[in-house]
Amino acid sequence: IASLRPGDLVYSVDHEAIVVVPVLRTGRTPVVRHRVVRVVLEGGAVLEISPGHPTADGRKFSDLRPGANLDASHSVQSLEEVPYAYDATYDILPASSRGSYFARGAQIGSTLASAK
């Protein structure tokens, strides 16, 4: 996510279809001693995301529990809070009706969607 720029193409959901769309906006938030949620999905994909980051359906990653569905195709196998090794977090806003995007194959929300 950190390397994406406006105009780069990503997968999103637009009017119930998975499509390739450009990134409208990117966001960078400086952090100090930040912690993230390491989410292991069934199948082994791992996401490391800020606890307050939204899921595609509007929950927060901190609200997820093992066995819960992250999206229609992915359930949470395990999660734990871990230290974040970088000085900033990053997010993108895709040009789509949902403002969500795919990370490691799972659909997640954008912190920038409300500022559309």
Side-chain angles (χ1 to χ4, degrees), residues 42-55:
E42 282 192 26
V46 177
L47 301 170
E48 289 189 353
I49 298 183
S50 296
H53 194 100
T55 62

Side-chain angles (χ1 to χ4, degrees), residues 31-49:
V31 294
V32 176
R33 292 184 296 279
H34 190 62
R35 296 182 68 80
V36 294
V37 178
R38 179 179 292 147
V39 180
V40 179
L41 302 174
E42 282 192 26
V46 177
L47 301 170
E48 289 189 353
I49 298 183

Side-chain angles (χ1 to χ4, degrees):
I1 299 296
S3 65
L4 292 173
R5 302 287 176 254
D8 288 349
L9 300 177
V10 297
Y11 285 98
S12 185
V13 176
D14 193 43
H15 303 289
E16 306 310 315
I18 297 174
V19 295
V20 175
V21 298
V23 171
L24 284 178
R25 187 170 51 244
T26 60
R28 179 184 185 277
T29 303
V31 294
V32 176
R33 292 184 296 279
H34 190 62
R35 296 182 68 80
V36 294
V37 178
R38 179 179 292 147
V39 180
V40 179
L41 302 174
E42 282 192 26
V46 177
L47 301 170
E48 289 189 353
I49 298 183
S50 296
H53 194 100
T55 62
D57 63 5
R59 295 171 292 162
K60 294 180 180 177
F61 272 82
S62 62
D63 296 333
L64 295 176
R65 299 291 176 258
N69 287 332
L70 175 57
D71 63 15
S73 303
H74 298 89
S75 63
V76 175
Q77 180 177 339
S78 67
L79 27 62
E80 66 178 315
E81 197 172 283
V82 298
Y84 185 61
Y86 305 97
D87 65 351
T89 61
Y90 300 87
D91 202 4
I92 60 170
L93 179 64
S96 66
S97 61
R98 290 247 182 116
S100 62
Y101 56 94
F102 289 83
R104 303 269 189 228
Q107 185 183 8
I108 64 171
S110 172
T111 59
L112 304 174
S114 61
K116 217 175 185 181

